[in-house]
Amino acid sequence: MSDNRRSKTVTQGVQRSPNRAMLRAVGFGDKDFEKPIVGVANAHSTITPCNMGIGALAVRAEAALKKAGAMPQMFGTITISDGISMGTEGMKFSLVSREVIADSIETVCNGQSMDGVLAIGGCDKNIPGAMIAIARLNIPSIFVYGGTTKPGHYKGRDLTIVSAFEAVGQYTAHKIDETELTEIERHACPGAGSCGGMYTANTMSSNAEAMGLSLMYSSTMAAEDLEKAESTAKSAEVLVNAIRKQILPRQILTRKAFENAIAVTMAVGGSTNAVLHLLAIAHAAQVTLTIDDIETIRAKVPVLCDLKPSGQYVATDLHQAGGIPQVMKILLEHGVLHGDAMTITGQTIAEVLKDVPAEPRKDQDVIRPWNNPIYAQGHLAILKGNLATEGAVAKITGVKLAKITGPARVFESEEECMAAILARKIKAGDVVIIRYEGPKGGPGMREMLSPTSAIIGEGLGDSVGLITDGRFSGGTYGMVVGHVAPEAAVGGTIALVNEGDSVTIDAELRLLQLNVNDAELARRRAAWQPPAPRYTRGVLAKYAKLVSTASKGAVTD
């Protein structure tokens, strides 16, 4: 809210005595009622390594807020581990958790009339969930990323969680034995922090930094390093200053900020999920942003960073090479970043990047110079055609061919598809269709990391296409197209594909086409019946009723 209905409503006026009595019970003294009340939204959890270090950061933030002259009030919010739930029914709750996180932070901050909020999160949905809440609340806010994990190591190579998923496909294809599969599993995730490549969590933390809601350099710090705790304390100080100056999120989350985030996502080779989440955050901030804007910016911004999943390096390597500020400075120098966008510090982007070199260091090859990019244009392409009239998102890095036309192999769920892949029934030239996995149909829009990793593990990543109305993990790469809209559950064309139909994915023409004539499609459409809901009670049933199309961010309000 921006109407200044904050802690004064708790500590002053007619209700002053009983309200103050409750606050005294949680540690307020006489002078504390004059201080701004700051919520610390703490996503600590031992459910996932992404969040298991956050508790200590929240305590550090609490102490720093007190030292800076605020009264912190800590509260919890949830997380779901995408990596642990991947390939199971539990993954249907992952995108739902983004809404639960946003709703919970909004509920507590408004219910307790807080003057500001410091949100700390780690796993994929923590970041967009917190940022949606921040945009809705419009009180001084800052996001603190829990930090990335360091890479695992086995036989001289860096490992991430995606290594473990791809190893399953390699094992099925008899490329590795059970001993190696087990050793990769044992070494892939060495400790606390979010998955180490430029997957969804690191992409979204980079976006928070690019949009000015997190401190510079904070998005690529390792969870277990001292600088992460120090950056958390500094974030608390900056937030208290923002409260005093009334620097509000919607002054920061402008159209220019979102364009900056999209540009950075392209430059670092970020996750397809950034498209979905940025649309949702923009909706919460009341900023006009469409899926077509993604394509417009893609055409202007090269991929500059050689990062996993399709590249060599991980987020900690990016940090050592100069981090997101170095990437942003290159973009600024070449006119594809808005330097006049505001940050939570009160400075502009150009001001905070003032001392960053215009070119990356020559002693590293994680960040390429503008004139020697990994790819000349961004890697997240928006495809349209009769198979996705509202649009779909393709990740086109790391593939040898930008076009495939082949017979459709149609599956009604991720599990059906995975069984076929592991049985080695998918062949080169096939175009796999996984449908009824969209926001409403899943419900919950599961990520298809298990099928895509298995395909790559079997050596088919360059010769098999995969199309889904579900999502992809940030760890996915290959000839894959997700977020197909309209989805199957609402009668989108993806619901009308028959086994063996000719389907074209063309990243160069940005085309997603079912090669069936209009008359036949009309006949199939007339015969199509929506399936019965998979859930009729509980959170997934509520979500399915409320959720929008993926092309508008899969929002629920």
Side-chain angles (χ1 to χ4, degrees):
M1 278 188 259
S2 58
D3 58 3
N4 296 319
R5 293 189 295 108
R6 291 294 155 193
S7 61
K8 63 183 181 184
T9 62
V10 175
T11 60
Q12 298 175 4
V14 177
Q15 299 298 317
R16 167 176 169 171
S17 183
N19 290 347
R20 287 195 174 195
M22 294 290 287
L23 289 169
R24 287 182 189 280
V26 297
F28 277 65
D30 289 343
K31 293 184 178 180
D32 294 328
F33 294 104
E34 300 170 8
K35 300 174 183 177
I37 297 176
V38 178
V40 179
N42 179 4
H44 172 78
S45 172
T46 55
I47 286 173
T48 170
C50 307
N51 290 47
M52 70 183 192
I54 287 174
L57 296 181
V59 171
R60 182 70 182 267
E62 185 179 46
L65 285 165
K66 286 181 179 178
K67 185 176 180 181
M71 271 306 286
Q73 289 193 298
M74 194 182 299
F75 62 93
T77 188
I78 66 151
T79 194
I80 294 292
S81 171
D82 288 20
I84 296 172
S85 65
M86 195 74 69
T88 73
E89 196 77 356
M91 176 42 100
K92 293 181 176 180
F93 290 85
S94 171
L95 190 57
V96 177
S97 76
R98 184 188 77 180
E99 308 308 299
V100 177
I101 292 163
D103 291 352
S104 67
I105 295 173
E106 179 191 6
T107 299
V108 174
C109 289
N110 275 338
Q112 298 302 118
S113 300
M114 289 177 175
D115 297 294
V117 62
L118 184 150
I120 312 180
C123 200
D124 294 7
K125 307 309 173 298
N126 295 182
I127 307 157
M131 293 178 74
I132 288 168
I134 285 167
R136 289 180 190 166
L137 287 162
N138 202 33
I139 59 175
S141 308
I142 196 165
F143 181 78
V144 175
Y145 184 39
T148 185
T149 189
K150 296 177 181 180
H153 301 283
Y154 179 65
K155 289 187 173 179
R157 61 189 176 104
D158 286 350
L159 300 179
T160 68
I161 183 60
V162 175
S163 307
F165 280 91
E166 290 178 1
V168 174
Q170 293 167 341
Y171 174 73
T172 302
H174 307 295
K175 294 181 177 180
I176 62 173
D177 59 20
E178 187 172 356
T179 299
E180 183 153 358
L181 175 65
T182 301
E183 289 304 312
I184 290 171
E185 174 204 314
R186 284 174 174 163
H187 292 88
C189 299
S194 298
C195 300
M198 191 46 69
Y199 310 146
T200 302
N202 284 330
T203 300
M204 294 312 300
S205 68
S206 299
N207 283 342
E209 187 173 320
M211 287 196 281
L213 275 179
S214 292
L215 297 187
M216 288 292 158
Y217 298 100
S218 65
S219 67
T220 51
M221 292 175 178
E224 296 177 322
D225 285 353
L226 178 61
E227 65 176 347
K228 172 49 64 178
E230 293 171 344
S231 175
T232 301
K234 180 64 177 177
S235 297
E237 295 172 18
V238 168
L239 176 58
V240 174
N241 182 62
I243 293 170
R244 290 180 178 135
K245 293 184 176 180
Q246 280 301 287
I247 300 172
L248 303 178
R250 290 190 198 169
Q251 295 171 328
I252 298 167
L253 295 175
T254 61
R255 168 76 185 206
K256 289 181 178 180
F258 284 96
E259 291 183 356
N260 285 349
I262 296 167
V264 168
T265 298
M266 296 300 175
V268 300
S271 167
T272 53
N273 285 310
V275 176
L276 194 75
H277 297 324
L278 288 172
L279 290 170
I281 299 163
H283 173 79
Q286 300 180 12
V287 170
T288 300
L289 188 73
T290 72
I291 198 168
D292 295 322
D293 294 320
I294 309 294
E295 181 60 37
T296 300
I297 296 170
R298 181 190 81 84
K300 302 175 184 177
V301 181
V303 179
L304 298 175
C305 298
D306 188 11
L307 297 168
K308 291 180 183 294
S310 58
Q312 298 183 64
Y313 297 105
V314 295
T316 50
D317 297 318
L318 174 60
H319 189 64
Q320 294 301 317
I324 296 302
Q326 179 64 83
V327 176
M328 292 176 71
K329 186 60 174 278
I330 297 169
L331 299 181
L332 181 65
E333 288 290 309
H334 290 87
V336 292
L337 200 78
H338 299 288
D340 58 343
M342 185 187 288
T343 74
I344 187 63
T345 65
Q347 299 170 291
T348 66
I349 290 289
E351 287 171 340
V352 296
L353 296 176
K354 179 172 59 73
D355 296 328
V356 177
E359 294 292 329
R361 298 196 322 267
K362 288 184 168 55
D363 64 348
Q364 57 80 44
D365 58 355
V366 183
I367 306 171
R368 298 276 191 91
W370 179 270
N371 60 5
N372 184 31
I374 308 291
Y375 299 95
Q377 292 183 315
H379 63 302
L380 299 181
I382 304 303
L383 275 53
K384 290 189 176 180
N386 69 354
L387 198 47
T389 55
E390 292 179 14
V393 183
K395 194 173 190 179
I396 58 176
T397 48
V399 295
K400 294 179 180 177
L401 301 175
K403 178 179 178 179
I404 183 171
T405 295
R409 303 297 311 280
V410 182
F411 302 96
E412 310 299 321
S413 70
E414 179 186 4
E415 286 85 356
E416 282 188 19
C417 178
M418 191 64 182
I421 295 168
L422 294 179
R424 309 195 74 180
K425 294 180 179 179
I426 303 301
K427 306 300 181 185
D430 287 346
V431 179
V432 173
I433 307 285
I434 308 177
R435 63 191 181 192
Y436 296 102
E437 290 285 6
K440 287 184 178 291
M445 207 177 178
R446 284 193 289 186
E447 293 179 351
M448 303 293 129
L449 179 60
S450 295
T452 57
S453 296
I455 287 170
I456 288 169
E458 289 192 16
L460 297 171
D462 292 317
S463 58
V464 169
L466 191 150
I467 300 168
T468 182
D469 52 7
R471 295 182 296 126
F472 293 114
S473 162
T476 296
Y477 63 102
M479 182 59 80
V480 297
V481 185
H483 306 202
V484 169
E487 62 175 289
V490 299
T493 304
I494 192 172
L496 310 180
V497 182
N498 287 342
E499 182 81 9
D501 282 348
S502 173
V503 174
T504 295
I505 304 170
D506 191 328
E508 291 178 352
L509 296 179
R510 300 186 298 283
L511 178 68
L512 192 64
Q513 188 78 12
L514 173 60
N515 301 313
V516 172
N517 65 56
D518 291 344
E520 173 61 14
L521 280 181
R523 185 193 67 77
R524 293 184 191 180
R525 194 175 301 282
W528 178 81
Q529 294 291 324
R534 286 172 167 162
Y535 292 83
T536 58
R537 301 285 298 275
V539 67
L540 290 180
K542 288 192 290 184
Y543 182 83
K545 289 177 183 177
L546 292 171
V547 70
S548 77
T549 177
S551 65
K552 294 185 178 179
V555 297
T556 56
D557 64 332

